[in-house]
Amino acid sequence: MSNNNNVLTLSAPLSGPVLALGNVPDEVFASGAMGDGLAIDPLNDCLHAPCDGVVIHVARTGHALTIRADNGAEVLMHVGIDTVELNGEGFALLVKDGARVSEGQPLVQFDLDRIARQCKSLVSLIILTNSERFELQPIASKTVKVGEALMRIALRTSAPVQTAVDNSVAEVSATVRITHRGGLHARPAALIRKTAQGFSSQSQLHFGDKTAACDSLIGLMGLGIGEGDEVRVTCRGKDGEAALQALVAALSVAIHEEPHAPVVATPRRANTEANVLQGVCAAPGLVCGPLFRLTGIELPQDSGNHSVDEQLQRLDTALEQVRGEIRNTLDQARQRKNVEEEEIFAAHLALLEDPALLDAATATIEQGSAATHAWRDAIQAQCAVLLALRKPLFAERANDLRDLQQRVLRALLGEAWHFELPAGAIVSAHELTPSDLLQLSAQQAAGICMAEGGATSHVAILARGKGLPCLVALGNEVLDVPQGQRVVLDASNGRLELAPSEARHAEVHQTRETQKQRRQQQQAQARQPASTTDGVTVEVAANVASSAEAQVAFDNGADGVGLLRTEFLFVDRRTAPDEQEQRQAYQAVLDAMGDKSVIIRTIDVGGDKQLDYLPLPVEANPVLGLRGIRMAQVRPELLDQQLRALLQVSPLARCRILLPMVSEVDELLQIRQRLDELCVELELTQRPELGVMIEVPAAALMAEQLAKHADFLSIGTNDLSQYTLAMDRDHAGLAARVDALHPALLRLIAQTCAGAAKQGRWVGVCGALASDPLATPVLVGLGVSELSVSPPQIGEIKDRVRHLDAAQCRQLSLELLDLSSAKAVRQACQHHWPLS
Ligand code: PEP
Ligand code: MG
């Protein structure tokens, strides 16, 4: 909806109720610190482009992106609140940074359920980040659909000129207490910097006798501000008051701790045991091997008197080379969807551009220093500042700076990026850097131990991601251990054993071998059928949403597809897929599964899953409304078309049709009759099997009557929990209590199995409970014979089945029905069938 150059109408990127910014449950957004805008509480799960333009920024985690419209307006779209913490899970980016997009184009697909369950809010922001240049007028005030006019933005006639600070304007200041957990470390500092950059005023933070400009990340971190510390913020400029307000809000908004800090560092322990150094576990594991000591680059004395231009040029070239290398690492991490690695190296890229660092190096070169020495000194000065703060989070960021020191020095000196590492070595170092770690992992290092470092460092995060056992904070003694000495690194228990006996070596080998074998066995056996020790076979199938996922499931050993959610074919498009497209999509899933059977569920929309091209009546309680099979009531032609497509797949014997949200027998009978008519029409002699989902208590209670007319039943524990417990499955506040191991659910599952058995029908479970290994014995015990799980868990669940005695499961499961809570059931399961 572009108009002329100055006025642009943005269309709604999402469908749902519109909110004013002030009503957004996030202080930073609500304060307008990020810019003016609107919010939408989304009902659909795909973000669309609100105008033509270029994607100028994509959050690494896929939850936000910014488009620059052709008139220069920059529109940030942020899906949900605190969604960065999902680390990209549940977000699929459909465009790349730098891409040209047209209005209405899908940009990001997201998992609505997951965000609702795991994040603070689904409310999504549409913010004009350069609102100093544009004026915004909302158009929509109630509910919008994707593509409808949302707001108009017009170039301000007197756009403020971004000039040097106007000293005639008085400075404004405020004192504020820092509420960010862990103090003003990298993430909150970045928030402050971003906030400050939204204003033309110059802002500074003062703490003790130190001051930093709010637009320097390093400067801000260098202040060493801890949680609860009081700081003074000053702003000078035309928009000083607004900047001050925004910064005060940003400084006192408590954002969560760095997302990747699951391992709690403990203080260094005294080395009391002979020949054992005690450290802190940064990544668990047990390994043995020769110790390999790694050292950093030492520079010779600088002669001084270098040509300033030449050295500046050298530094520039080296910095650009390292930036290029980091961008490559970032691309690879993105391809591997390794969000942690991506975040770490994106932070390195930001540090390499930090004005505080570059200015310091330039100043030293201008005094005649070599680029190498100037760079080293600039880094070391910043490291000294961070280390002097004596706070672990800041000290760990110093290591990131050291990483950049080494990389740029290597680029300047032309030194090869290479270590000669003996096979299976345990590497020791004062403190390794993230890029060292990637290199060492690629060279098959067996483990890592460091004199310094912390469990929340980037190196620790990477080590955990690579499964590389790692101990930190061992003290300088670790650096005195002779090169090549054989040691045992028991990272899980914080021990580096310097003189292990032969017997200890053998024991470590044995333990590792057992663990490895168990994992390999699970995978090797994954393609075999799974039977309990007393011979009851349980089919372990997979839940999928596409043929690509079906292929993964097949490769992982799935016995079939237990649930194909077809609604994924229908959402986020402007028209419904026709019969031919549907047939091809279903056939592709069948083809991906070899000779295994595939259960295809008919479309389950309605409720909170709305289709733009399928207007359904507005309902007060959509979850209790026309969803699932009930949609046949209002749009029978849609279901008819889907059934036709399903009947044309081949071989039909491998296709089973599953009906969602059935609550009475008539619904099943009507579809069965319609299927029969269509089979006659299409001259088919064969009929596909027809099953019913047990997702509402009524269906579970009527299982026997349903099973009389159905070929099989499949329990959807997600909805069955929601409707049995009267707890919204998407309600964040109730998430912990919506547990399908609740005894009430177990009773319904037991009743379903008993009802089906009376009619000689089998029962499967395709809800999330099937993927929970703690629940496997209970489900088997209650009479479930098929578990449809997420593809990566097939080997594990099959292994679990193979270790069970079905008769014992039957007996013990019945006892669980009498327990009082889901918690009690979980405890009992852990007791009867412990998970190692
Ligand atoms: C369920 O409700 O358990 C189920 C499998 O269906 P969905 O999660 O798609 O609603
Ligand atoms: Mg369901």
Side-chain angles (χ1 to χ4, degrees):
M1 283 192 206
S2 328
N3 305 318
N4 60 42
N5 270 349
N6 293 339
V7 183
L8 179 75
T9 305
L10 294 186
S11 67
L14 295 159
S15 301
V18 178
L19 278 76
L21 220 48
N23 295 334
V24 169
D26 179 282
E27 282 180 53
V28 176
F29 284 122
S31 70
M34 309 289 281
D36 207 356
L38 286 175
I40 295 179
D41 199 356
L43 297 173
N44 64 327
D45 60 3
C46 182
L47 182 79
H48 297 256
C51 57
D52 294 347
V54 174
V55 178
I56 56 166
H57 171 254
V58 176
R60 292 180 303 282
T61 44
H63 68 287
L65 55 73
T66 306
I67 290 183
R68 183 182 293 128
D70 296 338
N71 70 347
E74 292 177 0
V75 186
L76 162 78
M77 283 160 291
H78 191 286
V79 179
I81 307 282
D82 285 352
T83 31
V84 66
E85 290 176 15
L86 290 179
N87 280 325
E89 285 185 32
F91 289 93
L93 271 169
L94 309 175
V95 288
K96 287 206 173 113
D97 208 350
R100 168 110 204 140
V101 293
S102 11
E103 191 215 327
Q105 186 174 331
L107 303 174
V108 181
Q109 174 99 44
F110 50 92
D111 184 338
L112 214 63
D113 285 4
R114 188 178 194 137
I115 299 176
R117 256 183 284 123
Q118 299 183 353
C119 297
K120 187 167 163 191
S121 167
L122 261 169
V123 167
S124 303
L125 291 308
I126 301 102
I127 305 277
L128 195 57
T129 50
N130 51 354
S131 27
E132 74 284 356
R133 293 184 52 212
F134 295 87
E135 227 153 7
L136 183 151
Q137 283 168 0
I139 301 174
S141 58
K142 288 197 175 125
T143 298
V144 281
K145 287 211 157 150
V146 169
E148 288 177 359
L150 180 68
M151 57 171 122
R152 192 167 298 120
I153 46 182
L155 201 58
R156 286 183 200 271
T157 37
S158 55
V161 192
Q162 307 253 337
T163 52
V165 177
D166 180 354
N167 282 323
S168 65
V169 180
E171 183 178 271
V172 286
S173 74
T175 301
V176 56
R177 189 175 297 282
I178 303 295
T179 50
H180 295 277
R181 277 245 303 279
L184 214 61
H185 52 88
R187 228 158 60 88
L191 173 73
I192 304 309
R193 175 168 166 251
K194 189 147 193 202
T195 308
Q197 284 174 338
F199 298 90
S200 62
S201 295
Q202 237 177 39
S203 310
Q204 292 184 319
L205 218 58
H206 312 264
F207 179 56
D209 56 357
K210 288 182 282 181
T211 293
C214 289
D215 60 359
S216 167
L217 203 62
I218 289 190
L220 288 173
M221 289 199 299
L223 294 178
I225 298 167
E227 182 178 347
D229 283 343
E230 230 174 59
V231 299
R232 199 163 64 85
V233 52
T234 55
C235 304
R236 187 192 288 273
K238 286 214 169 66
D239 53 3
E241 271 298 347
L244 185 68
Q245 231 181 359
L247 282 167
V248 167
L251 284 162
S252 52
V253 166
I255 58 171
H256 302 299
E257 182 50 332
E258 302 252 31
H260 313 296
V263 179
V264 179
T266 50
R268 188 178 297 168
R269 286 176 275 166
N271 295 317
T272 46
E273 215 178 321
N275 286 322
V276 173
L277 297 183
Q278 302 279 350
V280 172
C281 175
L286 174 68
V287 281
C288 57
L291 204 78
F292 180 78
R293 171 85 209 279
L294 207 66
T295 48
I297 298 174
E298 303 283 341
L299 291 177
Q301 190 79 21
D302 187 10
S303 59
N305 281 333
H306 298 276
S307 145
V308 173
D309 286 346
E310 195 184 298
Q311 295 303 314
L312 284 176
Q313 180 60 45
R314 284 190 65 210
L315 181 61
D316 244 20
T317 313
L319 286 171
E320 206 34 55
Q321 180 188 325
V322 175
R323 284 183 199 125
E325 288 166 8
I326 298 181
R327 280 188 207 110
N328 272 344
T329 311
L330 268 173
D331 283 347
Q332 285 165 17
R334 257 178 222 136
Q335 274 162 20
R336 283 183 277 115
K337 295 200 173 15
N338 189 330
V339 180
E340 291 177 339
E341 217 171 287
E342 216 185 306
E343 284 193 349
I344 292 166
F345 288 98
H348 281 200
L349 211 50
L351 285 172
L352 265 191
E353 283 157 7
D354 198 283
L357 206 54
L358 300 182
D359 289 355
T362 308
T364 316
I365 289 177
E366 280 166 352
Q367 286 161 13
S369 266
T372 40
H373 294 68
W375 181 249
R376 180 201 59 191
D377 294 350
I379 295 260
Q380 286 187 352
Q382 287 301 340
C383 286
V385 172
L386 292 177
L387 291 171
L389 303 171
R390 304 198 171 280
K391 291 179 183 152
L393 268 172
F394 294 99
E396 285 158 11
R397 294 297 89 85
N399 193 35
D400 290 315
L401 284 173
R402 264 187 239 115
D403 190 325
L404 295 173
Q405 169 180 321
Q406 294 290 318
R407 292 188 79 147
V408 175
L409 285 184
R410 280 191 183 103
L412 281 165
L413 298 169
E415 197 182 307
W417 179 240
H418 185 66
F419 313 118
E420 285 298 336
L421 197 65
I426 294 175
V427 177
S428 74
H430 178 76
E431 190 169 10
L432 286 171
T433 66
S435 28
D436 291 336
L437 193 116
L438 288 194
Q439 177 76 12
L440 293 170
S441 161
Q443 291 192 10
Q444 315 295 326
I448 305 284
C449 37
M450 296 187 239
E452 294 294 329
T456 49
S457 68
H458 285 157
V459 177
I461 293 166
L462 288 177
R464 284 196 289 276
K466 302 265 172 217
L468 203 56
C470 175
L471 272 189
V472 295
L474 282 155
N476 283 336
E477 284 167 74
V478 72
L479 305 176
D480 301 332
V481 182
Q483 191 80 288
Q485 177 162 321
R486 291 191 68 77
V487 295
V488 165
L489 174 65
D490 181 0
S492 309
N493 292 306
R495 294 160 55 89
L496 181 69
E497 302 169 24
L498 302 179
S501 63
E502 278 307 314
R504 176 65 175 144
H505 267 292
E507 187 189 20
V508 171
H509 273 298
Q510 187 53 46
T511 311
R512 281 181 60 75
E513 216 29 56
T514 314
Q515 286 168 351
K516 205 164 103 197
Q517 274 171 9
R518 179 157 4 123
R519 265 197 308 277
Q520 278 172 354
Q521 266 164 15
Q522 286 184 351
Q523 278 317 106
Q525 302 266 307
R527 286 161 182 266
Q528 304 303 320
S531 300
T532 60
T533 51
D534 51 347
V536 175
T537 300
V538 176
E539 201 169 296
V540 181
N543 286 356
V544 301
S546 64
S547 57
E549 281 186 25
Q551 187 61 56
V552 174
F554 183 76
D555 294 343
N556 275 289
D559 296 328
V561 164
L563 173 65
L564 171 69
R565 290 178 162 106
T566 59
E567 49 277 10
F568 285 93
L569 195 61
F570 289 79
V571 292
D572 287 315
R573 20 190 319 154
R574 290 178 184 242
T575 54
D578 63 13
E579 190 179 309
Q580 178 69 356
E581 186 181 344
Q582 288 192 49
R583 189 190 65 73
Q584 282 169 355
Y586 307 144
Q587 185 65 52
V589 176
L590 252 76
D591 292 345
M593 291 307 294
D595 59 356
K596 317 239 181 255
S597 64
V598 172
I599 298 180
I600 303 182
R601 180 173 76 182
T602 57
I603 182 169
D604 181 18
V605 290
D608 54 346
K609 297 183 209 156
Q610 297 285 342
L611 301 179
D612 291 342
Y613 51 83
L614 178 74
L616 290 170
V618 176
E619 299 173 304
N621 289 308
V623 176
L624 301 178
L626 293 167
R627 60 165 293 198
I629 198 67
R630 300 171 191 175
M631 203 195 58
Q633 221 173 297
V634 273
R635 297 297 298 264
E637 76 287 356
L638 212 75
L639 191 63
D640 225 48
Q641 188 190 39
Q642 188 174 32
L643 294 178
R644 275 175 202 279
L646 284 170
L647 286 173
Q648 290 172 65
V649 298
S650 146
L652 201 50
R654 280 209 285 124
C655 171
R656 295 171 173 158
I657 299 177
L658 181 61
L659 307 177
M661 286 295 293
V662 169
S663 56
E664 45 189 35
V665 180
D666 274 357
E667 285 167 321
L668 166 64
L669 292 179
Q670 274 162 20
I671 303 290
R672 199 175 264 300
Q673 188 189 342
R674 187 60 193 142
L675 265 180
D676 284 343
E677 287 164 9
L678 289 174
C679 284
V680 172
E681 218 177 90
L682 295 165
E683 297 178 3
L684 297 173
T685 47
Q686 204 176 6
R687 302 280 186 274
E689 285 188 16
L690 183 61
V692 164
M693 281 201 81
I694 305 294
E695 297 184 282
V696 295
L701 297 168
M702 300 281 287
E704 187 182 341
Q705 288 90 324
L706 285 166
K708 195 167 166 192
H709 304 281
D711 296 299
F712 64 96
L713 306 181
S714 183
I715 305 176
T717 49
N718 308 336
D719 276 316
L720 191 58
S721 308
Q722 153 163 282
Y723 294 122
T724 304
L725 302 173
M727 290 182 189
D728 183 347
R729 63 191 260 188
D730 296 341
H731 194 301
L734 294 171
R737 293 173 60 195
V738 189
D739 186 341
L741 277 182
H742 191 293
L745 267 289
L746 297 189
R747 284 169 179 247
L748 290 175
I749 295 171
Q751 182 152 359
T752 303
C753 293
K758 283 197 189 145
Q759 301 292 344
R761 303 297 181 208
W762 61 268
V763 176
V765 172
C766 60
L769 191 67
S771 299
D772 182 349
L774 200 62
T776 316
V778 190
L779 297 175
V780 170
L782 294 179
V784 171
S785 61
E786 182 238 33
L787 297 169
S788 191
V789 308
S790 63
Q793 277 175 282
I794 292 160
E796 186 188 354
I797 298 290
K798 283 193 174 182
D799 185 60
R800 183 81 165 145
V801 168
R802 293 190 190 107
H803 289 88
L804 298 175
D805 176 316
Q808 188 222 26
C809 289
R810 268 194 292 279
Q811 185 208 330
L812 293 175
S813 299
L814 287 179
E815 291 173 13
L816 303 181
L817 305 187
D818 292 330
L819 294 180
S820 58
S821 65
K823 191 170 163 210
V825 173
R826 285 196 175 270
Q827 277 167 355
C829 288
Q830 187 62 43
H831 174 73
H832 295 318
W833 306 282
L835 281 172
S836 49

